[in-house]
Amino acid sequence: MGKLIATTQATVDGVIDPVGEWVQPDGDHGIHSFERQAKSSGMVLGRKTYQGLAAYWPGKSGHWAEMVNSIPKYVGSNTLSGSLEWNATLLEGDLQESIPKLKSQTPGDLFMHGSGEFAYALAERGLVDQYEIYLNPIVWGEGNLHVLGDRGTIRLQLEDVKRFDSGVVLLTYLPAS
């Protein structure tokens, strides 16, 4: 049974959006991130993140695009229905049931991308097994979307710190007991 790992890129001042304007997924931390995602059993996404990524990635090329486009995606949504495009499946039922069922059916880890309502809903229910925050060496100075979307308090305990030559630091947290 795999873990559900919430992963995000953030600036030193905690901004996570708009990632495309400041994140540099190259160098050693990009290689590390790519290898982890490529070995995973899939991506878990909320509706907004799914729709944003599905509008961006299918038209791209290169090794990142090939990996992201081919990997299975599992989408949590209260508004979408039916079949989804872009190698995606809609999670059915309550998160308390659908996420543990998904984790039990997948051999490897699942990576949850995004940090809004869906991410907070998973965290609040104790469904996230690990948090990985790639802290980028930049102060963006603007933006109002932060890790877990400013919804409430989620206590974490530091598990590991990994420093990359690029200056990015990977902070790994577990839910606090």
Side-chain angles (χ1 to χ4, degrees):
M1 182 163 108
K3 297 183 284 191
L4 178 57
I5 300 170
T7 185
T8 193
Q9 299 278 341
T11 63
V12 171
D13 52 342
V15 174
I16 62 154
D17 192 48
V19 171
E21 294 187 32
W22 51 262
V23 74
Q24 300 295 317
D26 52 2
D28 54 349
H29 94 275
I31 293 167
H32 175 83
S33 178
F34 178 87
E35 289 174 351
R36 297 224 344 113
Q37 183 69 72
K39 288 189 248 177
S40 75
S41 290
M43 299 167 78
V44 175
L45 309 167
R47 177 190 56 82
K48 293 175 189 173
T49 302
Y50 164 73
Q51 289 175 325
L53 294 177
Y56 177 83
W57 281 107
K60 301 297 177 193
S61 61
H63 70 285
W64 272 99
E66 289 172 18
M67 183 266 294
V68 170
N69 287 326
S70 66
I71 199 165
K73 291 136 197 101
Y74 305 96
V75 181
S77 173
N78 292 324
T79 58
L80 295 176
S81 61
S83 60
L84 301 177
E85 297 179 355
W86 193 50
N87 199 23
T89 303
L90 191 61
L91 292 171
E92 295 184 15
D94 183 73
L95 291 176
Q96 290 291 122
E97 296 171 14
S98 62
I99 295 295
K101 181 179 176 183
L102 178 62
K103 290 193 308 189
S104 72
Q105 294 174 343
T106 55
D109 294 335
L110 297 160
F111 282 82
M112 193 273 308
H113 297 272
S115 293
E117 295 170 47
F118 182 68
Y120 183 75
L122 293 174
E124 181 182 47
R125 290 168 175 79
L127 298 171
V128 178
D129 300 298
Q130 184 174 305
Y131 299 83
E132 293 183 351
I133 301 169
Y134 289 86
L135 192 61
N136 289 258
I138 185 170
V139 174
W140 191 244
E142 60 184 77
N144 58 7
L145 190 54
H146 299 88
V147 175
L148 293 181
D150 299 333
R151 301 234 178 321
T153 302
I154 302 290
R155 300 244 179 244
L156 305 173
Q157 63 186 34
L158 184 64
E159 175 71 8
D160 192 31
V161 178
K162 180 172 179 60
R163 182 189 182 284
F164 296 98
D165 292 339
S166 61
V168 171
V169 177
L170 174 56
L171 304 170
T172 302
Y173 292 95
L174 301 176
S177 41

